[in-house]
Amino acid sequence: MITFTLNGKISHFEAENNEKLLSLLRRNGHMSAKCGCMKGKCGYCTVLLDDEPVPSCIIPVGILKSSKVETLKYFSETNEIYRAIMSGFDLYEAKMCGYCNSARIFSVYNLIKKSTFPTDDEIDELASEFFCTCIDRDTFRKAIKSAAENYSEG
């Protein structure tokens, strides 16, 4: 039995310690974490683990004791910063493909919470980590800056 907090609720799962978090999430109906490279590189399966973005495809559930995991769906419904991020993305028509949403949104969240007004260099470094190219770098930079402004005003 694996027990950890998932989307704000203490949850118990039948799972082997070495089962990957992505597998457990999808098996239990949490589809906002997508399957991709299964090597932790593409970001499609990103979740928040103790408020830090991580690729769920490489996280063994056996290490999650006392941890908090949030999926993008839950985050989008409960966190005000999500609205600030999406407002910035909408303003600059930064349309995501659907696969990279969790990687981009959680990475922007992580950047904004650490640096209220991220620099171009910080944003470019973040953009270079993405496997997906559905948003060009200039649009992504503008969207992040707008999201940061929205968050600081909120």
Side-chain angles (χ1 to χ4, degrees), residues 122-134:
E122 289 172 318
I123 295 169
D124 288 346
E125 182 179 335
L126 177 67
S128 71
E129 297 174 8
F130 293 112
F131 180 76
C132 187
T133 58
C134 64

Side-chain angles (χ1 to χ4, degrees), residues 62-81:
I63 69 165
L64 296 177
K65 184 179 179 185
S66 302
S67 293
K68 294 178 183 174
V69 174
E70 287 186 35
T71 62
L72 180 60
K73 184 174 186 318
Y74 178 79
F75 182 82
S76 71
E77 295 168 350
T78 61
N79 198 311
E80 285 297 316
I81 195 169

Side-chain angles (χ1 to χ4, degrees), residues 94-127:
K95 304 293 182 206
M96 295 174 280
C97 65
Y99 288 99
C100 68
N101 293 26
S102 60
R104 287 189 190 272
I105 291 167
F106 285 146
S107 295
V108 171
Y109 164 70
N110 199 43
L111 178 61
I112 291 172
K113 74 179 183 173
K114 291 179 179 175
S115 177
T116 308
F117 296 102
T119 66
D120 287 346
D121 288 342
E122 289 172 318
I123 295 169
D124 288 346
E125 182 179 335
L126 177 67

Side-chain angles (χ1 to χ4, degrees), residues 8-145:
K9 297 180 202 167
I10 296 175
S11 302
H12 309 281
F13 300 97
E14 287 294 328
E16 298 293 324
N17 285 337
N18 63 347
E19 181 179 359
K20 300 305 183 218
L21 178 57
L22 175 61
S23 172
L24 183 138
L25 290 172
R26 293 186 62 84
R27 183 165 46 86
N28 287 280
H30 300 281
M31 301 302 186
S32 62
K34 308 284 189 234
C35 294
C37 70
M38 301 304 288
K39 296 178 182 174
K41 302 286 184 204
C42 70
Y44 296 171
C45 65
T46 303
V47 296
L48 289 179
L49 173 59
D50 296 328
D51 208 38
E52 293 292 324
V54 298
S56 63
C57 69
I58 61 170
I59 303 297
V61 296
I63 69 165
L64 296 177
K65 184 179 179 185
S66 302
S67 293
K68 294 178 183 174
V69 174
E70 287 186 35
T71 62
L72 180 60
K73 184 174 186 318
Y74 178 79
F75 182 82
S76 71
E77 295 168 350
T78 61
N79 198 311
E80 285 297 316
I81 195 169
Y82 175 82
R83 287 174 254 315
I85 292 168
M86 294 314 298
S87 178
F89 275 54
D90 290 345
L91 179 65
Y92 288 98
E93 298 180 1
K95 304 293 182 206
M96 295 174 280
C97 65
Y99 288 99
C100 68
N101 293 26
S102 60
R104 287 189 190 272
I105 291 167
F106 285 146
S107 295
V108 171
Y109 164 70
N110 199 43
L111 178 61
I112 291 172
K113 74 179 183 173
K114 291 179 179 175
S115 177
T116 308
F117 296 102
T119 66
D120 287 346
D121 288 342
E122 289 172 318
I123 295 169
D124 288 346
E125 182 179 335
L126 177 67
S128 71
E129 297 174 8
F130 293 112
F131 180 76
C132 187
T133 58
C134 64
I135 301 174
D136 68 88
R137 190 171 289 203
D138 187 52
T139 301
F140 190 54
R141 184 184 296 129
K142 290 175 185 174
I144 291 173
K145 287 185 175 191

